[in-house]
Amino acid sequence: MGARLQLSRPGASSMACARFCSISRSAQAPRACHRAARMLQLRTASRQKTPGYDSDEYPVSTPDYPRPRSNAGVADWASRQFKKSAPGNVAKACLLISLEEEAAAQAAYAEADGLEANHANMRGGVGVASTWSLKRVHNMTNDVLSAFYARLRDLTPTPHPPALLQETSTSAPAVPGQPEVPETPHERHRRMVRSYPLELISAVNQVLFERHGYRRQQAHGDPRNSLLSHVLESGLGSPAAMAVLFQEVCRRSGLDLLPVALEGGRYFVLVPADDSVSLRAAGEAFVVDPYSQGMLLSASEVKELFAVEDELRPCSNAEMIAGVLTVLLELHWCAALGCPPEPLLSVPISLEVALGEYRDVEVQTRTGEADGKRYFTVNFLEGQAAQHSGGGGQWWPARAYNLQRAVAAARKRVWLLPGDLQAQLQYGLLLFFDTQYQEAWQEMGNVLKEARLEAAAGRAQPTFTAEEIQQLEVLLEKTRLLRGPKVLYHSREF
């Protein structure tokens, strides 16, 4: 007889304060979340401009921040602000994701039975003001600039010190027949970066990994390692989060880097955005691997390590943010099921699981015995899977933390990648598992429409196979029946 596993609440460790968090233990969680939201909204940093640093991003004027009444309100505000920031500002978008995750976790604890008295577990690692205002990143950027020009002093007889980046200006070599054009400090710094990109990358590595001790996560499975705020304070990060941090510091230092997505957006390496910046040696192009402490890898090494057959092509900011969300989504899903997060042991979000055809795993919902709430139930009928899962948790409502956070991450991915049918199907499946049958029916119905159009057009590489389309049709009908008569009127659409 299979072991029934109960959906566990996130443990106290998942809400533990980060190592460098300076929030008082007597502070209340809503107040901390409001402070973080206000720092993200107001951004009153100085207008003093460092190379690559956009002063307009941090206006002196401070519009009124509409203070939400609860942590749930902060999470809702962060979700709305995310659409205004993404995909243009990757770092701010990732901070808003972090704030929404933190506030939602606080709200989940506040609403859970019997946890109101345990305020220490409810606070979590909300973080200090310098994290949310990105002043911490700004200070690291200043350290990078100092280290960069210190390195140049060893290479050139008359290096340009950081002081020259403030108000002074010189003249660039005149074009024949043209008057001299004044060169601003910002332009001069950009020219130095284009001439010495390896020195700047070495300076970033020195500041991030040697001086501040940032390093890769100790083990896969902690969603906090994908939250930029937690990475800034704890020093531990996932591949995607470390790439976001490295890219932001380089951008503020004057070197624009573009992400290259690997492993379905779960891992990123960086390449120069400007063709005039060369990372080549002996005819071989090199990329920066932030997760390996800024190591330079040749393109051929990356293709061999990650089994990439095509050329390495940069992806968009939207795809990079979606990669961060992919990791969050999968980890929350595994936490909801109670299965291990490792790829070989985890249960995928798939049509087979929804239809009960995936190995010996059954995912279903049922009604609570006394309170009438819905519960998310997972049955592992295979002994080995049940042994790995550790089913000593407690019942958790289906609309609560882990499954709800997976749905929220999937919703953002669909918004960022509007033409990605796989992302849309994943979102529809999560809605189905959360018993939001009306929304799931609509989302999967739209996916089925597009899949049929692809099949009719005879695409060489369609998104879904004929078998998957058939499975989707069966699941769509099952969803319609579960939802009831409210969707019968629209059933002809698909």
Side-chain angles (χ1 to χ4, degrees):
M1 182 176 179
R4 169 166 293 178
L5 299 184
Q6 302 165 340
L7 186 65
S8 303
R9 342 182 128 95
S13 60
S14 68
M15 293 292 102
C17 290
R19 276 194 307 158
F20 305 112
C21 179
S22 64
I23 291 181
S24 171
R25 280 288 183 182
S26 62
Q28 294 183 355
R31 186 176 180 181
C33 286
H34 291 316
R35 184 184 300 114
R38 186 172 180 83
M39 292 306 302
L40 273 170
Q41 173 70 7
L42 301 186
R43 297 290 186 85
T44 56
S46 170
R47 277 187 177 273
Q48 184 177 2
K49 191 170 184 179
T50 55
Y53 186 87
D54 187 2
S55 61
D56 295 335
E57 185 180 331
Y58 298 86
V60 172
S61 60
T62 56
D64 292 335
Y65 163 62
R67 181 186 177 96
R69 296 178 179 272
S70 64
N71 282 325
V74 174
D76 184 64
W77 175 86
S79 179
R80 294 195 306 270
Q81 292 296 316
F82 172 83
K83 292 187 176 181
K84 298 180 181 180
S85 300
N89 191 323
V90 177
K92 184 176 179 181
C94 289
L95 275 182
L96 287 166
I97 293 173
S98 303
L99 177 61
E100 183 181 353
E101 289 284 320
E102 294 281 6
Q106 304 287 3
Y109 271 110
E111 294 172 3
D113 294 337
L115 289 183
E116 283 79 5
N118 191 358
H119 292 285
N121 288 338
M122 291 170 57
R123 272 185 289 279
V126 178
V128 296
S130 62
T131 295
W132 296 105
S133 67
L134 288 179
K135 184 178 179 181
R136 187 188 296 257
V137 177
H138 177 66
N139 293 337
M140 287 191 293
T141 302
N142 290 335
D143 293 342
V144 168
L145 294 176
S146 298
F148 173 60
Y149 282 99
R151 290 173 179 272
L152 291 189
R153 278 193 288 270
D154 299 333
L155 298 175
T156 60
T158 57
H160 300 279
L164 294 179
L165 297 175
Q166 297 178 5
E167 298 296 339
T168 61
S169 63
T170 60
S171 298
V175 179
Q178 298 290 334
E180 289 187 349
V181 178
E183 185 182 39
T184 65
H186 182 74
E187 292 172 342
R188 184 189 310 114
H189 175 75
R190 288 283 187 176
R191 177 166 56 83
M192 299 299 289
V193 170
R194 287 194 298 269
S195 301
Y196 303 98
L198 292 179
E199 279 66 31
L200 182 63
I201 293 174
S202 297
V204 174
N205 292 341
Q206 176 185 344
V207 172
L208 285 183
F209 305 116
E210 296 179 17
R211 187 176 306 176
H212 290 274
Y214 286 96
R215 59 195 184 278
R216 62 175 62 198
Q217 59 190 2
Q218 299 297 325
H220 180 67
D222 190 347
R224 295 177 302 166
N225 292 335
S226 294
L227 302 180
L228 184 57
S229 62
H230 178 78
V231 174
L232 285 171
E233 300 209 357
S234 70
L236 299 175
S238 66
M242 292 296 293
V244 171
L245 175 59
F246 196 97
Q247 182 193 47
E248 179 67 9
V249 173
C250 285
R251 182 187 73 82
R252 290 165 175 261
S253 301
L255 178 61
D256 293 326
L257 299 175
L258 296 177
V260 176
L262 302 168
E263 294 185 349
R266 298 167 182 83
Y267 201 102
F268 290 92
V269 293
L270 303 174
V271 297
D274 191 347
D275 293 336
S276 63
V277 178
S278 177
L279 293 181
R280 302 183 67 90
E284 183 79 28
F286 285 80
V287 301
V288 184
D289 184 4
Y291 196 57
S292 298
Q293 297 192 343
M295 181 185 298
L296 292 178
L297 300 176
S298 67
S300 58
E301 287 177 319
V302 173
K303 293 169 66 175
E304 181 179 357
L305 286 172
F306 294 92
V308 178
E309 297 180 357
D310 301 329
E311 294 298 322
L312 299 179
R313 300 184 183 279
C315 65
S316 64
N317 288 344
E319 291 173 296
M320 188 177 197
I321 300 170
V324 175
L325 291 168
T326 297
V327 177
L328 277 175
L329 184 158
E330 292 174 346
L331 294 179
H332 280 307
W333 166 253
C334 290
L337 266 64
C339 67
E342 287 74 14
L344 296 179
L345 297 174
S346 63
V347 177
I349 307 171
S350 65
L351 292 166
E352 289 81 3
V353 174
L355 294 172
E357 300 174 357
Y358 180 78
R359 297 194 306 201
D360 293 322
V361 178
E362 179 185 7
V363 179
Q364 63 183 9
T365 59
R366 74 177 185 87
T367 304
E369 297 177 357
D371 53 10
K373 294 181 179 179
R374 291 178 299 166
Y375 290 99
F376 188 64
T377 309
V378 183
N379 295 330
F380 286 86
L381 306 180
E382 186 177 332
Q384 184 177 4
Q387 182 179 2
H388 281 289
S389 60
Q394 300 173 353
W395 285 112
W396 188 258
R399 290 170 292 182
Y401 184 69
N402 283 312
L403 187 59
Q404 190 178 54
R405 300 320 306 156
V407 172
R411 184 183 299 113
K412 291 184 181 67
R413 290 186 72 244
V414 170
W415 181 80
L416 289 167
L417 309 173
D420 192 328
L421 293 183
Q422 289 287 0
Q424 295 176 28
L425 176 60
Q426 195 174 55
Y427 177 45
L429 289 171
L430 286 169
L431 290 171
F432 172 83
F433 290 125
D434 196 28
T435 67
Q436 300 184 45
Y437 296 125
Q438 173 69 28
E439 294 80 1
W441 183 83
Q442 292 176 346
E443 197 68 33
M444 291 189 292
N446 293 331
V447 174
L448 181 58
K449 279 185 179 179
E450 296 298 326
R452 286 172 174 171
L453 289 175
E454 285 187 356
R459 284 185 52 180
Q461 294 181 341
T463 307
F464 302 105
T465 64
E467 181 181 359
E468 289 173 331
I469 293 177
Q470 185 178 7
Q471 289 176 328
L472 184 54
E473 291 173 344
V474 173
L475 181 59
L476 195 65
E477 179 63 18
K478 178 180 178 180
T479 307
R480 183 185 68 84
L481 295 174
L482 288 171
R483 181 60 181 88
K486 290 187 178 181
V487 299
L488 293 177
Y489 178 77
H490 302 283
S491 61
R492 297 180 181 178
E493 293 184 7
F494 309 122

